[in-house]
Structure formats: structure tokens, C-alpha cells
Amino acid sequence: MKNPDGFKLAGDFLKEVSLHDVKLDPSSLHWRAQQTNLEYLLMLDVDSLVWSFQKTAGSPTAGKAYEGWEDPTCELRGHFVGHYLSASAHMWASTHNVTLKEKMTAVVSALSECQNKMGSGYLSAFPSEQFDRFEALKPVWAPYYTIHKILAGLLDQYTFADNTQALKMTKWMVEYFYNRVQNVITKYSVERHWNSLNEETGGMNDVLYRLYTITQDPKHLLLAHLFDKPCFLGLLAVQVTIIALLFIRGTLTDVVALEKFWFGMKISFINVQNSKYVCVCVTENLTLADDISGFHANTHIPVVIGSQMRYEVTGDPLYKVTGTFFMDIVNASHGYATGGTSAGEFWSDPKRLASTLGTENEESCTTYNMLKVSRHLFRWTKEMVYADYYERALTNGVLSIQRGTEPGVMIYMLPLGRGDSKAKSYHGWGTRFSSFWCCYGTGIESFSKLGDSIYFEEEGNVPGLYIIQYISSSLDWKSGNIVLNQKVDPVVSWDPYLRMTHTFSSKQEASQSSSLNLRIPLWTNSNGAKATLNGQSLSLPAPGNFISVTQRWSSTDKLTIQLPINLRTEAIKDDRPAYASIQAILYGPYLLAGHTSGDWDIKTGSAKSLSDWITPIPASYNGQLVTFAQESGDSAFVLSNSNQSITMEKFPESGTDAALHATFRLIMKEESSSEVSSLKDVIGKSVMLEPFDFPGMLVVQQGTDGELVVSDSPKEGDSSVFRLVAGLDGKDETISLEAVNQNGCFVYSGVNFNSGASLKLSCSTESSEDGFNEAVSFVMEKGISEYHPISFVAKGARRNFLLAPLLSFRDETYTVYFNIQD
């Protein structure tokens, strides 16, 4: 520690390309997510963000503080402001939005005034008294966690936005905390400092190692080491047999009893936490490769990221082992098909994930941090497994936490249980100005830097570029003296290929050759895979490798790649035989979820391949979706599938289960195609109605006065065929549904009905009710819901499932893991 220059710095890593040089294409899903996030960042008010900082510093405040986790009474207040500084810095680099630059600069300036007012270097939205409690091992909510976010935000403002004031503030803050930690060690012992770290401290070691790469100040390196958590990293590094982390209510006097209870198991570390709990790491005959159970996931993942930075800064190979081994543990025993991890924020028993499925899976923060772990590992090794993981977790675990294009609406947990919904988890969807959870902070960061892991550089006599994510974008590759344009065709279910085209431009002809290395993912196969350069075929390696093309690139060059996308199942990480049938369904990198309200059984029968029981939905089907609406009093209602009965329900919001229930596919009897372009196309035609969320089933009428139901097997005398005729109410925009087998009998809502009223057939010759003609007339509109371009029908045991990517769901109930049996 006294001679940091004695360390040999690690090297030969792939280099990050600058976010300033990467631009997402407006046609991409990633650009849409980035733009939605930019809108949110621009909505946030500078005065509200810094309010609690100013209050703590004794400075005048303006406006009012935000609520939720930024409320002036919340002990974690200020953490989101740190995330905002990081997110806005990344977003500035990604978009160069001038208004955002002004806002984030104003936040830094306001915080600097607070730091100067306090005069010690301390900067936080809460008083330093919280650190007095932290150091005394008294109850307090993670003060260093918040400090890490502020430090990281300021450092990002310097790194990505060249704000030298932010770097000065960072160094002054670190000087303050260096002295605090030194005082604890001097007054008590270093062990006392280690004990205090059993509170959540975020990535303090990570940001301090990053700072050291800029300052080369030995104090910064020393303090970084002091935030490496030995109780966790030490055990990971030596790969001992562990780890059961137990929280036992009691005091140190209970340890003797604990030792007796464990029949002499070795207790390797003891810590009194908050004077109420004994924290014990047991190291006896438990396989670490399977067990990190009991640990709070997002407390420990940032510590691992910090250890990875320790390896990059010092070259100490022990910390390369630590990061690699940790990733192996999570992927082998604790990872879901999304790429995410944790249940209720904690790691549970290894390879027992079937018991954890519910609403509180995959804290979003953990996915944000696991992406950092995999990113480091890929840069070190170029191993495909880490690039594939990054794509999976980004696609399913990050893009899925936004609520469509609604700025500032995100989730905390990603539910993975059957019949669950993002809207119906414990936290549900957050709100723009009154949530500010930890996952809001990591969320705004994730959506600000979606371009940061598409491309990596390799230095050498021949510059190299690694393209590991296929996202429509452009890169100003200065080392290669070219601008690379990557155009990725939208992925669809009916055309199972991923196609991308790479073209080039430059202000001047490239002066030297450079190499492009393009990822051939592990999820594809060689059958049907193609690559061409200027129309000439290239030899493709097997999946799991890179195709390398080296030449002096010019504006006339065109490199294309086509990769087959396969359906596949993936068993849940659970080694109990009773759960062997619990599997997820994936389409390339996309995790598919099924529209469901709890049913999750799929019987494959004698099917030999997935294509025998999973069918792509054609593109034309979206043109066949309709909703039947009707007004009653002051309210609008829709014809809806309610538990396989047809009822009238209040007009629903898009993206909800109710919207699914109110959407039907119009199947023409006379024609192979039934795309509906206007009412004139359907008047007089015989049709069948397939509920959107019950594919393969039809709306069936059971005779006069019999209720309409949804069935896959009409009884004798029933019919699923209706004739669309001009509305009996005489209005131009309405239609009526006449039973083909009973002329003059129509689908009838009833007069003055209420929500939940059942529909039936009623005949005009028999009805004397006033308003009958209005009650059998409906406005036929475009379907409230529509199929995602990646949509399939899977045969279920009791009914078929409509499958679509998890990221496309909002408030709908869905199932991610299915019980698949032959």
C-alpha cells in the first residue's frame, strides 16, 4: 500500500469507445427507450433535486423537495441526485442535448455552493450525523450507498461532460471521507471499519478505483481497498466451501449457542449489526459454486464490480479470479432466463429458483450491476458467453422496465411468476415525481447509456473493432478513420432471421487497414447463416465465435450478415426432479412470455420440435384485429371476453388485461385473408371472432337467449359464424352481428346495461323493447391491442398461449416459465 507504483497495471483489454461517438438510429427500439428517458430527465426540476442538499447546508431553498425516496425525511435522500448526474452525463454524451447540459451543469453548481457553505468537503442531502451512527454500528439506512451515487455522478460529469468543477468537488469529498475512515481505524481498529461495511455501501470501492485512475493519488487507492469487503471478496477469491449468511436476532452472547447448534461448524466472521443482529459467515461443506444464498444481492454485486476495477488498476490477478468466479456462481445457480437475479432483493437457495417465482423477482438494480460485471469480463477475455449474457440481460431485464413511451414510469421488481403483471407487483409502476426508488436511479442511468456496449476497440498495428450488439446505430471510429453505419432489420416471428448491414463513410480515404470482428451469438446456428462483403460470400465460423474481416474500408463497401433465430426452451435453474418441466421459451435473445391469468401448462404430446407446437403469427393478423364498442348513458363500453363469457365492460386503457379481453381477430369465412381496411370491406361478410388472448378459440352463440361464450368446440346446434350487416340503428359507422344460422337474430347487449352484462342472441321479430336496434349496433374499431412483431401461438394443455417478448408487456398478466410436458 505504501508503494502503489510497484503494482503492474493490467493491460491488453478491449477499450471502450466514447459514448460521444455512438449514435442510436431513430428506427431502433433502443433509441425509443433512450428518447423516452431523455424526456424524463428534462422534466426533472433543478430546485427540487437540490432542495435537501441546500437545507442540509443551511442555504436558502426554492420550490419544494421531491417525495418518495427523495423526501426530506428519508434517510436515503440525495441518492437519486447522484444517479441523475450520472444519467445526464451519459445522456449528454449520447445526444448532445443542450437543454440537458444546462440543467445538469446547474445541479453541479448548486451542489458546489452547498459544499462550499459547509466548508469541510462533506456533501450530502442528509447531515453527517448519519455517519456517526454508521461508525457506531447503530441503525441507519446506507449512508455510504448515497455517497457512492453522488461521487459517481460527479465523476461522470467530469468524465463525460468535461466539468472540472465536478472533479474538484469529488476530490474534496473523498478527502473528507478518507479522514473519517482513518479516524475510525485509529480510534478503534481496522476490524471495526470492516464491521461497519455490513451495511450497504454501494460501489464505494469502484468509484474510488476510478478516481485513482485519474488522480494517481495513493490516498484514493488506499481508501478504495478499505471499501473492498473482505467477508465477501475473500471467500470468493479463494473459492472456499461456503456461504450461508445468517441474520440471527440477538447479541454476541448468543454465538456460543450458535456454535453448539451447528455442531462445531467453523464460524469465520462475526459482526454485530445495528446492535440487534449477529451476522455470521459459515465455511463448512457447502459448495460456493452453488451457494450465495442469504446475501442481499445489490449490496454485494457493486463490491464485485469494484474488485474488477481493482484488477484493472493494480493488475492483481486474484481480483480477476474473483469477478470471473462470481459471474459463474450467479449464472450457474441464481440466474433467471431474463439474465436477472435475486428474489425479494436476496439470493435464495442455489438451484431452487422454481420456489422463488412471484411478483418480487429480479430487482432492476441487480441487472444494471450484473451488466457491469459481464462488461468487464468481456473486455478482459473476449469470451462470447459474456457478450451473449449482456445482450440477454439488456434486452429482457432493462428494456422491459420502462412502461412503453411514458417518461418516468418504471418498475422496481420484474415479476416472473405465473399470471403476474408489472403493474401488480408490490411496488407496481412508479410515478415521475414521487417514487425515486433505487431502481429509478439505475433505470435512468441504463437508458442513458444504451450505446456504451455495442462497440469495443482493440489497439495494435491493425486497429480492431468488436461489434457485440446488433443495434441500429453509427460509430465515428476515429482509430479506423471511418464512420460505421450499422442497420439492423426489425426481428419478426414469421421470418426467423436476424439481418444486419454495415456500410461506411469517411471524410477521407482510410490510411490503413482495420479489422471488424462481428459476434456470432451462441443462440444461433450455422444452417442458413450467411455473410457477404460487396456481394461476395464470406466463410462464417460456428456460433460462439467472431467473424473477422480486415481491409482498408471505403464508402463503397457493404458488409451483410444473416443469422437464423431459433426457438428454444431453457429449464429453470432448479435441480429438483419435480421441477424439471419448468422451462422458459426464448426466440434468439428474446424471452417470450404468454398472456395468461394463471394457466401455465403446455402439453407437447408427440411433437418432435418446438415448431410443432409453437406457430408464428403472420404479419397480416394485425390488420384483422377489431374492438366492438357501444355507448350507454355517459360511458363507453366494449364487447369483452370475461372468463370465456362475452360481456360488456367499460372501455379499457391500452396495455391492460382489459384491453386484451376487448380485442378480437376477425376471421373471414369466404376469404383466406381478412384484413379490415374499411366497413365496406366487411358488410355482408360471414365472420368468426377469435379472442385476442385465447388463440384458437372462437366466440360461440348458443341459440336465442343463450349467452355468448368462448369455446374451442361448439356443441351441436351452436354456431361460431356471424354475418356483419349495417347497423340496425341506421348510423353509417355501426354494424350488427347477425347469427348465420338464425336470420334476424343479433348479438344483443341489452338496453340500459351495466358493466358485466352478458351478451346473447335476440331476434328482432320477437323483441318489443324500445332501443332494441341501438342495443344490437356496435362501432367496429381497430383493435385496442395488437400483436407484437415477435408473436407466436403455443399449444397449451387447456388453451393456447399468445407468446410475445417480455419487454412488450405493461399491465397485462403473463407467464414467463411454463410447465412443459410431453
Side-chain angles (χ1 to χ4, degrees):
M1 287 311 311
K2 293 180 180 179
N3 184 20
D5 293 335
F7 288 114
K8 178 183 178 182
L9 298 183
D12 298 326
F13 303 148
L14 293 178
K15 289 179 57 181
E16 303 175 16
V17 300
S18 172
L19 261 182
H20 290 276
D21 296 332
V22 179
K23 297 292 178 268
L24 300 180
D25 190 289
S27 67
S28 71
L29 175 67
H30 300 76
W31 181 90
R32 189 189 76 175
Q34 176 184 273
Q35 188 68 17
T36 299
N37 193 53
L38 172 60
E39 292 175 23
Y40 179 47
L41 295 181
L42 292 173
M43 289 178 180
L44 293 169
D45 177 66
V46 172
D47 289 336
S48 296
L49 288 169
V50 302
W51 195 95
S52 289
F53 287 85
Q54 292 171 334
K55 186 71 173 179
T56 298
S59 298
T61 59
K64 63 178 183 178
Y66 281 128
E67 299 175 353
W69 285 18
E70 284 298 306
D71 187 272
T73 63
C74 178
E75 286 192 338
L76 216 64
R77 61 191 181 274
H79 80 103
F80 182 82
V81 178
H83 284 295
Y84 176 85
L85 291 174
S86 289
S88 57
H90 285 110
M91 186 65 82
W92 157 249
S94 300
T95 65
H96 286 191
N97 183 281
V98 175
T99 304
L100 182 65
K101 178 72 176 292
E102 293 171 352
K103 289 176 77 83
M104 69 189 195
T105 303
V107 172
V108 172
S109 295
L111 296 182
S112 179
E113 290 176 7
C114 293
Q115 190 181 37
N116 290 332
K117 181 72 180 293
M118 287 187 279
S120 63
Y122 182 75
L123 175 63
S124 180
F126 51 75
S128 60
E129 176 272 336
Q130 287 194 199
F131 287 97
D132 296 339
R133 284 187 278 150
F134 177 86
E135 292 161 359
L137 305 181
K138 293 181 179 179
V140 65
W141 190 7
Y144 270 117
Y145 175 92
T146 297
I147 293 303
H148 162 241
K149 308 311 172 193
I150 298 169
L151 286 171
L154 291 172
L155 200 57
D156 285 336
Q157 285 289 319
Y158 169 72
T159 303
F160 293 95
D162 298 320
N163 191 324
T164 56
Q165 181 184 28
L167 178 61
K168 180 181 177 182
M169 294 165 65
T170 303
K171 291 192 287 187
W172 198 13
M173 279 185 72
V174 169
E175 182 71 17
Y176 172 85
F177 286 105
Y178 179 91
N179 292 332
R180 283 205 76 125
V181 173
Q182 184 182 54
N183 289 339
V184 170
I185 295 172
T186 302
K187 184 177 180 180
Y188 300 102
S189 66
V190 72
E191 182 182 5
R192 175 63 169 266
H193 171 69
W194 298 133
N195 287 348
S196 67
L197 296 189
N198 280 289
E199 178 61 86
E200 188 173 5
T201 58
M204 282 295 295
N205 56 347
D206 178 38
V207 72
L208 290 165
Y209 284 123
R210 286 177 54 206
L211 179 62
Y212 174 73
T213 64
I214 296 169
T215 66
Q216 296 296 300
D217 187 334
K219 286 184 176 181
H220 299 159
L221 185 63
L222 172 58
L223 191 58
H225 287 337
L226 287 169
F227 278 95
D228 289 329
K229 188 175 182 178
C231 179
F232 188 67
L233 291 181
L235 295 167
L236 286 177
V238 296
Q239 302 181 24
V240 298
T241 55
I242 74 156
I243 301 177
L245 180 65
L246 305 178
F247 291 91
I248 311 298
R249 183 174 288 277
T251 66
L252 278 174
T253 58
D254 297 318
V255 172
V256 174
L258 288 172
E259 287 184 303
K260 291 180 180 178
F261 177 77
W262 281 319
F263 301 101
M265 284 185 176
K266 181 182 178 184
I267 299 174
S268 67
F269 181 90
I270 301 171
N271 173 50
V272 180
Q273 187 167 17
N274 297 341
S275 301
K276 294 181 180 179
Y277 295 88
V278 178
C279 164
V280 184
C281 286
V282 185
T283 60
E284 181 105 5
N285 299 326
L286 298 172
T287 305
L288 178 59
D290 290 336
D291 196 358
I292 49 175
S293 58
F295 279 81
H296 183 263
N298 206 51
T299 292
H300 293 88
I301 303 172
V303 176
V304 173
I305 297 167
S307 75
Q308 292 180 303
M309 276 304 300
R310 179 168 182 161
Y311 167 58
E312 294 195 10
V313 167
T314 68
D316 188 338
L318 182 64
Y319 294 93
K320 180 180 180 180
V321 170
T322 299
T324 305
F325 189 56
F326 173 76
M327 190 73 177
D328 290 345
I329 293 171
V330 175
N331 280 340
S333 302
H334 298 275
Y336 297 109
T338 56
T341 187
S342 79
E345 300 192 10
F346 284 80
W347 285 305
S348 58
D349 292 340
K351 296 183 180 178
R352 295 289 189 274
L353 294 192
S355 301
T356 70
L357 298 177
T359 62
E360 305 310 299
N361 299 118
E362 189 172 346
E363 183 187 10
S364 300
C365 288
T366 62
T367 307
Y368 159 89
N369 279 313
M370 287 301 296
L371 286 174
K372 290 186 176 183
V373 176
S374 65
R375 193 171 187 269
H376 279 296
L377 292 172
F378 176 75
R379 288 179 51 245
W380 300 348
T381 66
K382 305 176 194 172
E383 290 185 14
M384 190 64 64
V385 64
Y386 301 126
D388 271 26
Y389 172 85
Y390 197 98
E391 177 185 47
R392 177 191 291 230
L394 179 69
T395 301
N396 303 296
V398 172
L399 294 181
S400 62
I401 73 170
Q402 269 186 342
R403 194 175 190 269
T405 56
E406 299 176 57
V409 183
M410 294 176 283
I411 56 170
Y412 193 128
M413 302 286 191
L414 183 56
L416 298 177
R418 61 184 183 271
D420 284 335
S421 163
K422 298 171 188 176
K424 299 173 185 175
S425 60
Y426 175 78
H427 290 88
W429 291 108
T431 56
R432 292 169 180 166
F433 308 123
S434 59
S435 295
F436 301 110
W437 306 316
C438 53
C439 297
Y440 255 58
T442 52
I444 61 172
E445 285 194 49
S446 292
F447 292 115
S448 294
K449 57 177 183 175
L450 292 173
D452 79 345
S453 294
I454 303 174
Y455 309 99
F456 292 94
E457 287 186 284
E458 184 171 46
E459 297 179 329
N461 293 330
V462 178
L465 185 70
Y466 280 76
I467 304 174
I468 73 163
Q469 304 298 325
Y470 294 123
I471 298 170
S472 290
S473 56
S474 65
L475 169 67
D476 184 356
W477 187 26
K478 294 180 172 59
S479 298
N481 199 29
I482 58 172
V483 175
L484 168 68
N485 299 290
Q486 177 177 197
K487 189 71 173 180
V488 182
D489 292 348
V491 175
V492 296
S493 58
W494 58 87
D495 182 18
Y497 291 96
L498 173 65
R499 296 183 177 89
M500 71 287 299
T501 302
H502 301 87
T503 55
F504 309 86
S505 59
S506 178
K507 295 179 181 178
Q508 59 186 43
E509 185 176 347
S511 58
Q512 63 175 346
S513 295
S514 56
S515 176
L516 298 187
N517 303 277
L518 299 104
R519 166 174 161 258
I520 309 300
L522 290 163
W523 49 254
T524 190
N525 61 63
S526 299
N527 186 22
K530 299 177 181 178
T532 66
L533 175 61
N534 301 327
Q536 300 297 311
S537 295
L538 300 175
S539 177
L540 272 175
N545 294 281
F546 287 90
I547 176 174
S548 296
V549 185
T550 303
Q551 70 172 41
R552 185 177 296 180
W553 300 97
S554 72
S555 58
T556 61
D557 289 327
K558 183 178 180 180
L559 175 64
T560 67
I561 294 182
Q562 172 183 290
L563 299 174
I565 303 179
N566 306 307
L567 284 162
R568 67 189 189 281
T569 58
E570 184 176 285
I572 196 168
K573 291 180 173 60
D574 198 308
D575 58 8
R576 294 171 291 183
Y579 297 100
S581 62
I582 309 305
Q583 300 179 45
I585 303 172
L586 293 104
Y587 182 62
Y590 294 95
L591 175 64
L592 301 180
H595 289 297
T596 177
S597 56
D599 184 10
W600 68 331
D601 293 332
I602 292 179
K603 297 290 186 181
T604 62
S606 59
K608 296 181 180 179
S609 67
L610 270 68
S611 59
D612 292 334
W613 53 275
I614 298 180
T615 305
I617 291 180
S620 61
Y621 274 22
N622 266 331
Q624 302 169 9
L625 297 176
V626 296
T627 292
F628 297 96
Q630 197 176 81
E631 291 186 357
S632 180
D634 296 330
S635 300
F637 292 82
V638 289
L639 188 148
S640 184
N641 171 24
S642 303
N643 297 318
Q644 294 186 243
S645 293
I646 302 300
T647 62
M648 295 301 292
E649 304 293 342
K650 287 276 184 77
F651 203 100
E653 292 185 18
S654 177
T656 61
D657 281 337
L660 301 182
H661 303 329
T663 304
F664 298 84
R665 185 168 74 91
L666 209 61
I667 305 173
M668 299 288 191
K669 284 290 289 181
E670 293 88 352
E671 302 172 10
S672 58
S673 174
S674 57
E675 185 165 343
V676 180
S677 59
S678 70
L679 276 177
K680 292 180 181 180
D681 293 337
V682 296
I683 295 298
K685 300 292 179 64
S686 294
V687 301
M688 296 180 291
L689 303 179
E690 178 188 72
F692 182 88
D693 54 339
F694 276 44
M697 303 181 83
L698 296 170
V699 175
V700 174
Q701 49 92 355
Q702 305 176 96
T704 306
D705 292 329
E707 293 183 356
L708 271 65
V709 297
V710 173
S711 175
D712 58 354
S713 53
K715 298 177 182 178
E716 186 176 351
D718 296 345
S719 176
S720 58
V721 184
F722 301 88
R723 184 179 296 108
L724 290 174
V725 299
L728 267 62
D729 62 359
K731 296 180 180 179
D732 291 340
E733 70 274 15
T734 63
I735 57 94
S736 295
L737 291 156
E738 183 181 20
V740 168
N741 62 343
Q742 290 183 272
N743 290 339
C745 297
F746 301 88
V747 173
Y748 174 70
S749 64
V751 177
N752 298 322
F753 60 86
N754 293 313
S755 182
S758 297
L759 281 89
K760 60 181 182 179
L761 279 187
S762 185
C763 302
S764 57
T765 56
E766 300 172 357
S767 176
S768 59
E769 275 190 291
D770 292 335
F772 174 83
N773 288 347
E774 287 74 20
V776 298
S777 300
F778 301 86
V779 175
M780 189 173 71
E781 304 174 343
K782 180 182 178 181
I784 303 173
S785 297
E786 63 180 19
Y787 299 110
H788 189 276
I790 303 173
S791 290
F792 299 85
V793 172
K795 295 180 180 179
R798 289 180 288 278
R799 67 175 178 86
N800 293 344
F801 293 94
L802 176 62
L803 300 178
L806 177 60
L807 61 86
S808 68
F809 286 81
R810 285 171 44 186
D811 297 354
E812 306 95 334
T813 50
Y814 56 78
T815 286
V816 169
Y817 282 100
F818 297 87
N819 181 25
I820 301 176
Q821 298 177 327
D822 56 23

